[in-house]
Amino acid sequence: MTASRNARNPATTDAADELRRAGLRVTAARVALLETVREGDHLDADALTSGVRRRVGHVSLQAVYDALHALTAARLVRRIEPPASPARFEGRVGDNHHHVLCRSCGALADVDCAVGDAPCLTASGDHGFVIDEAEVIYRGLCPDCSTPGISPAP
């Protein structure tokens, strides 16, 4: 990238620098993917592919999956796997936050770690694992789906 392009779009420069620091090859598609993940809201691979295509033109779904795998392994992106839903991706990494999932429409939102008495966040036994993260998914109805007369799916 040229200095003038970097000056016009510091986010692109930041994403490229993060890829380099993680030891990943910098490509236009990877930079666009990282930016799309961070600007999105728990997007799935199809939505991310559309976002990357808007930024850089054609990119295959397989290339997006490959890049998501690399970004997740490098801990630049977090993969969330809600039950009965496609995997979603987010740029909020390293803080061990949790999620709330709407049983009706599938909306997903961040929830900071529980405060107070939270026994589910401490494993009753570690089976020899070195535990460094707990994942909790709260389920219910989002504000749009919690209108009278609608009950949550089982």
Side-chain angles (χ1 to χ4, degrees):
M1 282 183 202
T2 65
S4 62
R5 182 169 180 204
N6 291 347
R8 285 194 311 262
N9 192 349
T12 299
T13 303
D14 292 345
D17 289 343
E18 287 183 65
L19 290 167
R20 284 187 198 93
R21 283 193 301 272
L24 297 175
R25 192 168 49 103
V26 176
T27 65
R30 282 185 176 175
V31 167
L33 178 58
L34 187 54
E35 291 173 346
T36 303
V37 167
R38 290 183 174 163
E39 290 173 4
D41 187 20
H42 304 101
L43 301 174
D44 65 17
D46 289 334
L48 290 169
T49 300
S50 295
V52 171
R53 287 176 179 159
R54 280 192 299 276
R55 292 171 185 266
V56 297
H58 181 74
V59 63
S60 71
L61 182 59
Q62 185 60 51
V64 170
Y65 274 111
D66 292 345
L68 283 168
H69 178 75
L71 294 175
T72 301
R75 295 187 176 203
L76 295 175
V77 166
R78 181 175 176 188
R79 179 185 174 108
I80 306 149
E81 298 184 48
S85 178
R88 313 245 193 114
F89 298 87
E90 69 178 345
R92 185 175 171 187
V93 296
D95 68 348
N96 196 35
H97 68 279
H98 307 297
H99 296 93
V100 61
L101 175 67
C102 180
R103 290 183 189 271
S104 181
C105 72
L108 187 69
D110 291 338
V111 176
D112 289 330
C113 284
V115 295
D117 186 25
C120 64
L121 299 180
T122 303
S124 60
D126 63 18
H127 300 279
F129 285 72
V130 176
I131 298 172
D132 62 5
E133 182 179 34
E135 186 168 324
V136 175
I137 297 179
Y138 301 95
R139 293 182 185 98
L141 292 177
C142 70
D144 289 340
C145 295
S146 62
T147 57
I150 296 177
S151 60

